[in-house]
Amino acid sequence: MAEAANNVVETINGDCHDFKSLLSSSDRDFLVRNNGDQVQIDSLKGKKLGLYFSASWCGPCRRFTPNLIEVYTELSTKGDFEVIFVSADEDEESFNGYFSKMPWLAIPFSDSEARKRLDEPFSVMGIPHLVLLDENGKVLTEEGVEIIREYGDEGYPFTPEKIQELKDLEEKAKKEQSIKTILVSRSRDFVVTSDGSKVPVSELEGKTVGIYFSASSFKPSADFTQKLAEVYSKLKENGEKFEVVMISVDDDEESFRQSFGAPWLALPLKDKSCEKLARYFELSTLPTVVIIGPDGKTLHPNAADAIDEHGIVAYPFTPEKFAELKEIEKAREATQTLESVLVSGGLDFVLGKDGAKVKVADLVGKTILLYFSAHWCPPCRAFTPSLVEVYKKIKEKDDAFEVIFISSDRDQASFDDYYSGMPWLALPFNDARKSSLSRKFRVQGIPMLIALGPTGKTITKEARSLVMAHGADAYPFTEERLKEIEVQIEEMAKGWPEKLKDERHEEHELVLTRRSNYVCDACDENGQVWSFYCEECDFDLHPKCALEKETKADAKEGWVCDGEVCTRAS
């Protein structure tokens, strides 16, 4: 038995794998279908194989499996491609429920040894994982999941040459891009209206087209859809040659219809081109509106912010127009006040800790931090205690300072619970100003900290990193203050050696290095700013730890230790 296992591993690690040795065991020479039928492994000779490592408990697997089923179904007519399910499920009931939806073969769940044996030779570090082999058992690729997602059945027979051919075609398509190369597929030369009517893609030629990637289940997308619909309607009323084609990333009919609330066009739900276009335009955020010019070339990779901020003024989305908008934004920033940022209609207040309304006018002249955060966000919860400590230190020195919490919490209870630990002000939960502030400051992720100066102008959008690096010393977050800190940091290190050897790390010299945050390997305390550091080993020493011997020897020369670092007295 041990000898047989060794032979299998040896075969697997060769250039080509013998299917029988690979997939069988000492008492089994067959695979199974979901109806219980047994299929002899010998019948796979001459076929290309996909070894599909997956499990019912794995969300990414459950999302990928329908894609693989679609490709498998398309290729089944060729008769020379088969998929083998290698389950990572923990019980037979889960295996059976998941396998019941698959049209291909599987290693029986009962043969756990055979299933586990395949993990190591095929580098299965995570699932879903799809290994594609040719008819001779040669591994074509272990990146089958990515290839299926990107090329579907067009990637068949999945050879490196075929994949390179497809990549070359994509590059050529980008160089020769037109509205037809973007929107027409092998099986479809039309887009659809909300009532299901078909509109030939050729009718979009010569127009400016917004390719709108949307998801109604994502609130920022749902909110933006209303704004885009207003802009779309106004441009159509003005007789502009402008069209919108929606690419829905929703996966159900109801959500698709919700995204289809305006009288624009769309690709059909779950059209194969949807994922292809998301990759083609390197979709990274929602909402995204890619602008295609009348010549079919890309004018702008994402005009969503410009549309949201400027409406129809952003049309026709040319480089010249965006340069003009940039000047408009500069002019706005130059005249920005706290009231222009925080007052909207009748909303001219924020909440105090006692629930009282604090007029925005009463905050004019103060340095303000806008804190975008939420209780459900782990990085936010980790950062908030540090910000509380910094807030208290700054308030002790200068009362002309305040923080305003802008919540992304999902319900009032979460807001109340999170805000109870904060000593500052807040916008009310679900306040209408939250969306406009998020758009204005381009809040793509939280926690985010925006610093506004006493005049109301934006000082920095990177206040969080300043607080993390310098704590309360970063106040008032201006360029001038940062230059002062930089001088202090350089002064701190005067007289220190650039390199030193230490008995606690004899392997390499330690180099004096700027480090934002670290843990000292000698005393296990946090450190920042300066470290004697070995990059190769990721080894840190506080200056106080690295220089402690020298400090004692040089005490008569005027060294001063403040508990964190040792410096020469001036």
Side-chain angles (χ1 to χ4, degrees):
M1 184 71 180
E3 183 180 351
N6 289 334
N7 288 337
V8 170
V9 172
E10 185 175 328
T11 304
I12 289 173
N13 288 332
D15 289 334
C16 294
H17 306 318
D18 175 71
F19 290 165
K20 191 161 187 176
S21 299
L22 188 69
L23 300 172
S24 66
S25 59
S26 58
D27 57 354
R28 178 185 54 79
D29 60 358
F30 61 86
L31 301 167
V32 294
R33 293 199 180 279
N34 57 22
N35 62 1
D37 288 350
Q38 297 180 359
V39 176
Q40 293 297 307
I41 294 172
D42 285 340
S43 67
L44 299 176
K45 287 181 180 178
K47 291 189 177 184
K48 301 168 185 63
L49 287 191
L51 299 181
Y52 182 38
F53 298 83
S54 185
S56 64
W57 50 260
C58 165
C61 297
R62 293 196 305 272
R63 289 191 291 273
F64 175 71
T65 296
N67 293 351
L68 185 57
I69 289 174
E70 186 177 352
V71 169
Y72 180 85
T73 302
E74 289 284 339
L75 297 178
S76 61
T77 56
K78 297 181 182 293
D80 64 349
F81 178 66
E82 190 54 78
V83 172
I84 314 297
F85 173 37
V86 185
S87 175
D89 280 307
E90 298 172 353
D91 60 84
E92 191 160 8
E93 183 179 356
S94 298
F95 167 84
N96 289 334
Y98 192 35
F99 185 41
S100 68
K101 303 178 180 113
M102 300 177 179
W104 44 69
L105 304 173
I107 291 178
F109 180 80
S110 57
D111 197 344
S112 59
E113 182 181 337
R115 289 187 287 117
K116 291 177 181 177
R117 189 181 67 215
L118 293 173
D119 284 355
E120 184 176 347
F122 291 115
S123 306
V124 183
M125 303 302 293
I127 54 176
H129 187 79
L130 180 64
V131 180
L132 296 169
L133 304 94
D134 70 10
E135 57 274 13
N136 297 312
K138 181 180 179 181
V139 174
L140 296 171
T141 179
E142 293 186 1
E143 306 297 326
V145 171
E146 290 74 17
I147 287 174
I148 294 296
R149 281 176 176 157
E150 187 154 357
Y151 301 111
D153 62 290
E154 291 182 11
Y156 181 84
F158 311 116
T159 60
E161 294 78 14
K162 180 62 178 180
I163 301 307
Q164 187 59 51
E165 177 189 334
L166 293 173
K167 288 180 178 179
D168 292 343
L169 287 173
E170 285 183 350
E171 285 302 312
K172 183 180 179 183
K174 286 184 177 180
K175 291 177 182 177
E176 302 174 358
Q177 180 180 297
S178 70
I179 199 65
K180 283 188 175 179
T181 63
I182 294 170
L183 294 178
V184 172
S185 68
R186 288 187 301 174
S187 59
R188 177 189 46 73
D189 62 358
F190 59 86
V191 289
V192 297
T193 62
S194 57
D195 63 5
S197 301
K198 298 178 180 179
V199 176
V201 171
S202 58
E203 292 189 11
L204 300 178
E205 292 180 317
K207 294 183 177 181
T208 299
V209 178
I211 307 295
Y212 176 37
F213 292 91
S214 174
S216 67
S217 55
F218 183 51
K219 193 173 185 304
S221 266
D223 292 342
F224 177 76
T225 293
Q226 298 176 22
K227 179 71 174 183
L228 181 60
E230 293 173 10
V231 170
Y232 176 83
S233 298
K234 288 177 182 177
L235 289 174
K236 298 295 273 188
E237 288 171 8
N238 294 344
E240 301 291 352
K241 291 184 177 181
F242 177 65
E243 194 52 75
V244 171
V245 177
M246 185 184 73
I247 312 292
S248 176
V249 299
D250 290 309
D251 56 5
D252 63 89
E253 186 73 26
E254 183 179 351
S255 298
F256 175 71
R257 290 297 167 196
Q258 289 175 5
S259 295
F260 217 166
W264 47 51
L265 305 170
L267 288 191
L269 178 64
K270 295 184 180 179
D271 189 276
K272 290 182 180 180
S273 294
C274 292
E275 287 191 13
K276 185 176 180 181
L277 288 173
R279 291 190 298 270
Y280 182 83
F281 288 115
E282 299 178 1
L283 180 67
S284 61
T285 187
L286 292 176
T288 286
V289 183
V290 181
I291 302 297
I292 308 300
D295 61 354
K297 308 302 181 186
T298 301
L299 277 178
H300 199 277
N302 187 8
D305 285 340
I307 291 169
D308 197 41
E309 182 74 18
H310 301 283
I312 63 170
V313 176
Y315 185 80
F317 313 110
T318 58
E320 296 77 16
K321 175 57 72 172
F322 275 93
E324 181 184 322
L325 296 178
K326 191 172 182 179
E327 291 304 314
I328 292 173
E329 289 176 2
K330 280 184 181 178
R332 283 184 183 174
E333 289 174 4
T335 58
Q336 178 177 297
T337 66
L338 187 64
E339 286 156 314
S340 72
V341 172
L342 288 177
V343 175
S344 177
L347 299 172
D348 61 352
F349 63 90
V350 294
L351 294 180
K353 286 303 296 179
D354 57 0
K357 294 181 179 180
V358 177
K359 291 286 187 181
V360 172
D362 295 338
L363 301 175
V364 172
K366 295 187 176 186
T367 297
I368 303 291
L369 293 181
L370 302 179
Y371 182 37
F372 295 85
S373 186
H375 183 269
W376 53 260
C377 164
C380 298
R381 294 198 305 273
F383 176 66
T384 296
S386 299
L387 185 58
V388 169
E389 183 180 346
V390 166
Y391 174 82
K392 291 176 178 178
K393 288 180 179 179
I394 295 174
K395 289 289 279 187
E396 287 176 2
K397 295 187 299 182
D398 188 356
D399 194 52
F401 168 70
E402 198 49 79
V403 174
I404 300 174
F405 170 43
I406 301 171
S407 173
S408 292
D409 283 304
R410 294 163 179 156
D411 55 71
Q412 184 73 51
S414 298
F415 170 88
D416 292 340
D417 181 48
Y418 194 31
Y419 184 45
S420 67
M422 301 176 182
W424 44 67
L425 307 174
L427 284 190
F429 173 70
N430 220 16
D431 190 285
R433 289 170 289 179
K434 188 263 178 183
S435 295
S436 62
L437 288 169
S438 295
R439 291 193 299 270
K440 177 179 179 59
F441 293 110
R442 309 287 193 264
V443 179
Q444 299 294 328
I446 54 175
M448 186 169 182
L449 204 58
I450 310 293
L452 306 178
T455 65
K457 292 180 184 177
T458 303
I459 300 173
T460 179
K461 296 179 183 178
E462 306 298 330
R464 178 194 173 205
S465 61
L466 298 181
V467 166
M468 292 177 70
H470 308 298
D473 288 339
Y475 181 77
F477 314 105
T478 59
E479 286 291 336
E480 293 74 18
R481 178 56 187 152
L482 295 183
K483 289 177 182 177
E484 291 173 0
I485 291 173
E486 190 62 31
V487 170
Q488 292 172 2
I489 289 172
E490 292 301 322
E491 285 291 323
M492 181 190 302
K494 278 189 177 179
W496 292 352
E498 292 185 6
K499 297 181 180 180
L500 57 78
K501 288 289 290 182
D502 191 281
E503 61 187 14
R504 287 160 292 194
H505 189 73
E506 296 180 346
E507 296 91 332
H508 309 99
E509 275 191 310
L510 300 178
V511 180
L512 183 62
T513 306
R514 288 281 291 273
R515 299 268 283 157
S516 56
N517 288 285
Y518 63 90
V519 175
C520 176
D521 288 285
C523 65
D524 288 328
E525 293 180 4
N526 291 327
Q528 57 184 22
V529 185
W530 288 112
S531 166
F532 282 93
Y533 180 57
C534 174
E535 183 177 8
E536 184 174 345
C537 303
D538 193 26
F539 183 91
D540 286 280
L541 284 184
H542 278 142
K544 70 172 183 177
C545 295
L547 300 171
E548 57 188 352
K549 293 179 182 178
E550 295 180 32
T551 299
K552 292 174 182 177
D554 289 0
K556 294 179 182 179
E557 297 179 18
W559 283 80
V560 176
C561 294
D562 64 0
E564 288 294 325
V565 294
C566 299
T567 59
R568 291 186 185 275
S570 56

